[in-house]
Amino acid sequence: MTLSFFDQFMSPTYLGIPLIILALSLPWVLYPKPPARWLNNRLITLQGWFINRFTQQIFQPLNLGGHKWAAILASLMLFLVTLNMLGLLPYTFTPTTQLSLNMAFAVPFWLATVIIGMRNQPTHALGHLLPEGTPTLLIPILIVIETISLFIRPLALGVRLTANLTAGHLLIQLIATGAFTLLPLMPTVAILTAALLFLLTLLEVAVAMIQAYVFVLLLSLYLQENI
């Protein structure tokens, strides 16, 4: 029984073909493309409003140099939100519960921000490794600590997204299993458990959106430090 709880996080295959490729390509099929007409329908209007609000919220503290990242970070936000939300549907697979996939998102974006900082402002970028006014004896220790914290950033991005989604899916499955087990024995307790499961599902929907937002927000903060 313990192993079956973690079977939902295994990457499914069909005829030897990993279905994670299909899961990753599905979000780009769901979103409609803006037509050439002057007036859009309600769905495209809502989609454009959401993207505009998100870009304003994320890029308001950044200077004009960071606004070049608006398209790619907004696309990443929509991509992660869609993957997280589709994973809450029954009999589906959540690719963002795989640490390897999340690290594949986190490492290139983090490395791009570091390279931009080293290329444009090398003195300012290296200055983050040593705070101003540090005592002489603490300089080597602080440089090592700040360097380690710099390289831990992409790992923290990937682990945070993986851990939050994995914990939520496991908790939903545990409570759902308990509700089905208690139904013939204690119907009242099973109904209360099902109500708790419904509230937990709503919470997991919020977590799916918030974690995607936090992922992109932290990337924008890393970008802000290096431009």
Side-chain angles (χ1 to χ4, degrees), residues 51-61 213 217 220:
I51 294 175
N52 290 333
R53 292 294 298 174
F54 168 74
T55 51
Q56 289 177 6
Q57 184 73 22
I58 291 292
F59 293 96
Q60 187 174 5
Y213 176 77
L217 177 63
S220 68

Side-chain angles (χ1 to χ4, degrees), residues 34-103:
R37 296 174 300 179
W38 286 6
L39 295 178
N40 298 324
N41 55 29
R42 292 183 178 89
L43 181 60
I44 296 180
T45 302
L46 181 63
Q47 176 181 317
W49 176 84
F50 173 78
I51 294 175
N52 290 333
R53 292 294 298 174
F54 168 74
T55 51
Q56 289 177 6
Q57 184 73 22
I58 291 292
F59 293 96
Q60 187 174 5
L62 299 181
N63 56 24
L64 294 178
H67 292 181
K68 301 175 183 177
W69 289 60
I72 190 169
L73 289 185
S75 301
L76 179 63
M77 170 70 178
L78 289 175
F79 187 64
L80 291 178
V81 167
T82 308
L83 287 179
N84 296 345
M85 297 292 287
L86 290 177
L88 295 174
L89 298 176
Y91 304 104
T92 56
F93 169 67
T94 312
T96 45
T97 56
Q98 306 294 315
L99 181 60
S100 58
L101 178 67
N102 295 333
M103 292 301 295

Side-chain angles (χ1 to χ4, degrees), residues 1-2 4-6 8 169-186 189-190 193-194 197 200:
M1 179 63 70
T2 303
S4 65
F5 286 145
F6 293 92
Q8 60 176 320
H169 284 65
L170 278 177
L171 192 57
I172 287 177
Q173 186 171 2
L174 286 171
I175 295 179
T177 304
F180 279 109
T181 304
L182 292 173
L183 186 59
L185 302 176
M186 293 179 287
V189 179
T193 307
L197 178 63
L200 181 62

Side-chain angles (χ1 to χ4, degrees), residues 116-134:
I116 287 176
M118 292 296 182
R119 186 187 65 179
N120 297 337
Q121 299 175 342
T123 305
H124 181 72
L126 293 175
H128 290 295
L129 302 179
L130 185 63
E132 187 178 357
T134 303

Side-chain angles (χ1 to χ4, degrees), residues 138-218:
L138 297 179
I139 288 177
I141 301 175
L142 281 180
I143 291 178
V144 173
I145 293 175
E146 292 296 332
T147 304
I148 294 175
S149 66
L150 176 65
F151 284 96
I152 284 179
R153 284 180 174 182
L155 181 62
L157 282 175
V159 170
R160 180 186 294 107
L161 183 58
T162 304
N164 282 281
L165 295 179
T166 303
H169 284 65
L170 278 177
L171 192 57
I172 287 177
Q173 186 171 2
L174 286 171
I175 295 179
T177 304
F180 279 109
T181 304
L182 292 173
L183 186 59
L185 302 176
M186 293 179 287
T188 305
V189 179
I191 293 175
L192 294 177
T193 307
L196 177 63
L197 178 63
F198 176 74
L199 296 177
L200 181 62
T201 304
L202 295 180
L203 177 63
E204 191 63 21
V205 170
V207 169
M209 294 185 290
I210 291 173
Q211 288 304 316
Y213 176 77
V214 169
F215 190 93
V216 179
L217 177 63
L218 289 176

